[in-house]
Amino acid sequence: MADQQVDLFVIGAGSGGVRAARVASHYGARVMIAEEYRVGGTCVIRGCVPKKLLVYASRLSDEFEDAEGYGWNVPEPTFHWPTLTANVAREVARLEAAYTTTLERLKVTLVKGRAVLEDAHTIRLADGARVCAETILIATGAWPHYGPKIPGLEHAISSNEAFHLRELPRRIVIQGGGYISVEFANIFAGLGSEVTLVYRGQNILRGFDDDIREHLRSEMTRRGITIICGHMVAAIERRGTEFLIRLSDNRTITADKVMFAIGRRPNVMGMALERLGIELAEHGGIAVDAYSRSSVANIYAVGDVTNRVNLTPVAIREGHAFADTLYGGKPTPVDHINVPTAVFSEPEIGVVGLTEAQARQRLNKVDIYKTSFRPMKATLSGRDTRIFMKLVVDGTSDQVVGCHIAGSCAAELIQVLGIAVKMKATKADFDATMAVHPTAGEELVTIREKTVSYGRVAAE
Ligand SMILES: Cc1cc2nc3c(=O)[nH]c(=O)nc-3n(C[C@H](O)[C@H](O)[C@H](O)COP(=O)(O)OP(=O)(O)OC[C@H]3O[C@@H](n4cnc5c(N)ncnc54)[C@H](O)[C@@H]3O)c2cc1C
């Protein structure tokens, strides 16, 4: 016998789960949500928010340096890591409290602790109580994984722990080539650490446009980050307070911390999904349809646990669409095409749409417009950096199908460019738009010269 009955039980109070619970409750559903750690989930507690605050901190070192060329005399700045992490922790706690208050205000019942599925309608809570739900939403997110077992793996930290280090590592080795490892490499470098990034692939940021990958790699290298591609960390040995890290080519590096950010896996462990007939997709996430419904009719899943596009706004949109569909009488599929995204590296990356390689695979004719230039701010500061921009255009329809930017404000620019790409703006629309001067973004509406044009040769 169940102890309680609800219309909707949400497992996981992260970006997707909280949004779904709030909206469903707003529509009048009786909603209960379980959270085993802290309300807010990855984004608020150990992801986007605390990371962006560290990014702001790390970029100030450049600002101090750049100020001199603009006439400022800045005494040698000093940095205090414990102050930063304490301030970040305070902000995270404030946001967690705000999320909790919102759930309470909307009459969503929050239960702290792990929830597990007993059958398709029954959830068992950490205290053993059972809840019967008409519908269950799994929004359990994802978790860092460390790859194959290597000697000394227990010494490696993940991004989860990086926010809570007692002191800033003087030297850090980061393994991984995705956006999280690249961002942390830049954060630590900006704060003064000596950073080595190790990635087994040929270049960082797999899946991004090749020009962007190359540009970022050379900018990061110029900023003093050592990037080693084509190799992996093979062993970690503790030597007193430091670590000796052996790579797959036998070279060794000594560092104070080793961080692995090689990927995240959907949080499906211990959920008894198979027993209930909930199918997993090939990529390991819960398989769902466009309405986030799993292979069991009353069980849905949103966010990273479905391993579709693992970003906060996507999880939120999926959670919202789920609640609109089930409780708002508005069936809403989620469109995962042309999701704009950013990497908060130095320089920042903003991308939306197809890469050049993808466009060449899918389209008959592709026009590429590229530009690389020195930002105006660098003229007086003397900073050795360049901005890179690229438009990928369907040569048949003139539609802009991809925008790729590396440079300051790339994330802000791509948010707005995302609208243009979603609206199927053409290169002619870009050209007809008046420039805002003097900005970096004006280049996007003033690039006239095609860098290269590809046409598919008809097969004989
Ligand atoms: C370091 C880092 C930086 C990131 N930066 C960005 C960024 O800049 N921009 C961006 O868009 N995305 C970013 N992301 C990704 C983003 O955080 C996730 O895509 C997003 O949080 C996914 O939301 P979710 O609701 O699917 O899962 P989560 O937010 O992970 O929430 C899942 C929740 O479920 C809880 N849970 C799990 N199992 C159970 C259970 N059985 N019972 C009860 N509770 C359970 C977990 O404790 C967690 O709180 C970042 C991620 C990381 C790790």
Side-chain angles (χ1 to χ4, degrees):
M1 259 302 271
D3 300 302
Q4 291 183 71
Q5 299 256 341
V6 293
D7 298 318
L8 171 64
F9 194 101
V10 180
I11 308 180
S15 305
V18 166
R19 175 59 67 94
R22 277 174 53 185
V23 179
S25 182
H26 170 78
Y27 284 131
R30 286 171 306 161
V31 185
M32 190 177 275
I33 189 168
E35 173 51 55
E36 68 176 347
Y37 183 52
R38 293 176 68 182
V39 175
T42 304
C43 172
V44 174
I45 308 297
R46 51 199 166 201
C48 332
V49 171
K51 174 202 75 187
K52 187 80 189 277
L53 295 171
L54 297 190
V55 167
Y56 284 130
S58 69
R59 287 181 179 167
L60 286 170
S61 54
D62 279 4
E63 295 290 322
F64 295 130
E65 278 177 23
D66 290 352
E68 202 182 323
Y70 285 87
W72 290 91
N73 175 16
V74 183
E76 187 68 33
T78 57
F79 170 69
H80 192 235
W81 170 260
T83 303
L84 173 63
T85 49
N87 289 347
V88 170
R90 204 178 48 232
E91 174 58 10
V92 166
R94 187 189 70 78
L95 287 171
E96 181 186 8
Y99 268 69
T100 307
T101 309
T102 306
L103 287 172
E104 285 165 2
R105 191 166 42 78
L106 283 162
K107 311 241 176 312
V108 173
T109 308
L110 170 66
V111 280
K112 294 303 288 285
R114 188 166 171 79
V116 291
L117 293 169
E118 221 163 68
D119 61 44
H121 288 281
T122 313
I123 298 101
R124 189 163 29 83
L125 305 181
D127 63 1
R130 287 179 171 76
V131 181
C132 178
E134 192 181 327
T135 304
I136 294 170
L137 178 68
I138 304 174
T140 49
W143 198 249
H145 82 102
Y146 289 86
K149 181 99 184 90
I150 55 158
L153 187 61
E154 67 278 9
H155 300 306
I157 61 163
S158 74
S159 58
N160 289 349
E161 293 75 41
F163 296 108
H164 305 290
L165 299 177
R166 295 231 319 264
E167 52 192 38
L168 179 71
R170 197 165 58 78
R171 300 154 302 177
I172 184 165
V173 169
I174 301 178
Q175 167 148 271
Y179 80 95
I180 294 176
S181 51
V182 163
E183 288 176 338
F184 273 96
N186 283 283
I187 288 169
F188 283 117
L191 295 177
S193 306
E194 196 180 289
V195 179
T196 306
L197 187 67
V198 180
Y199 176 51
R200 72 183 169 142
Q202 287 314 301
N203 203 356
I204 54 172
L205 288 189
R206 187 162 64 90
F208 283 71
D209 188 272
D210 286 338
D211 281 329
I212 288 284
R213 300 169 76 188
E214 210 39 62
H215 182 86
L216 182 63
R217 184 175 178 170
S218 70
E219 289 274 336
M220 284 172 63
T221 305
R222 209 176 0 230
R223 295 172 62 78
I225 297 172
T226 304
I227 300 181
I228 301 173
C229 286
H231 296 289
M232 295 160 73
V233 173
I236 307 166
E237 193 188 316
R238 183 189 270 286
R239 296 248 170 120
T241 56
E242 55 186 34
F243 298 100
L244 186 74
I245 296 124
R246 189 166 52 77
L247 303 190
S248 45
D249 62 354
N250 269 330
R251 117 183 66 170
T252 53
I253 306 168
T254 305
D256 309 295
K257 275 285 168 234
V258 190
M259 174 175 159
F260 275 31
I262 60 170
R264 293 169 59 79
R265 291 219 170 124
N267 240 335
V268 292
M269 291 285 284
M271 298 287 290
L273 302 183
E274 266 175 42
R275 186 169 51 77
L276 297 185
I278 300 173
E279 284 169 18
L280 296 186
E282 250 175 49
H283 51 53
I286 295 178
V288 288
D289 67 13
Y291 298 93
S292 298
R293 181 183 227 149
S294 79
S295 51
V296 173
N298 71 308
I299 300 184
Y300 290 72
V302 295
D304 286 6
V305 75
T306 63
N307 211 359
R308 287 176 280 183
V309 178
N310 299 333
L311 293 169
T312 289
V314 179
I316 290 174
R317 182 67 66 91
E318 289 167 357
H320 204 123
F322 155 83
D324 279 347
T325 302
L326 259 80
Y327 303 102
K330 291 181 277 185
T332 311
V334 175
D335 179 6
H336 293 91
I337 308 290
N338 286 332
V339 175
T341 186
V343 180
F344 295 98
S345 46
E346 195 55 48
E348 199 165 277
I349 306 294
V351 302
V352 63
L354 302 182
T355 63
E356 178 175 332
Q358 288 167 337
R360 288 184 64 187
Q361 266 175 6
R362 296 180 201 181
L363 305 174
N364 285 328
K365 201 164 167 280
V366 178
D367 296 332
I368 302 295
Y369 296 81
K370 295 195 235 189
T371 178
S372 162
F373 55 95
R374 196 160 184 229
M376 190 176 182
K377 189 176 171 195
T379 53
L380 296 200
S381 69
R383 181 165 296 284
D384 183 13
T385 183
R386 293 187 79 74
I387 292 181
F388 174 79
M389 293 181 177
K390 177 172 184 175
L391 297 179
V392 181
V393 177
D394 180 340
T396 312
S397 64
D398 196 40
Q399 194 184 318
V400 177
V401 292
C403 300
H404 307 269
I405 304 172
S408 57
C409 299
E412 305 292 341
L413 281 172
I414 215 68
Q415 178 66 84
V416 182
L417 278 173
I419 304 172
V421 171
K422 200 80 193 159
M423 290 178 76
K424 303 190 183 337
T426 60
K427 178 67 172 58
D429 293 324
F430 274 57
D431 296 345
T433 304
M434 201 66 83
V436 178
H437 183 72
T439 63
E442 67 183 302
E443 293 289 326
L444 291 163
V445 296
T446 53
I447 322 179
R448 294 285 185 268
E449 291 292 309
K450 253 178 236 177
T451 313
V452 59
S453 198
Y454 303 99
R456 196 170 277 168
V457 181
E460 302 252 316

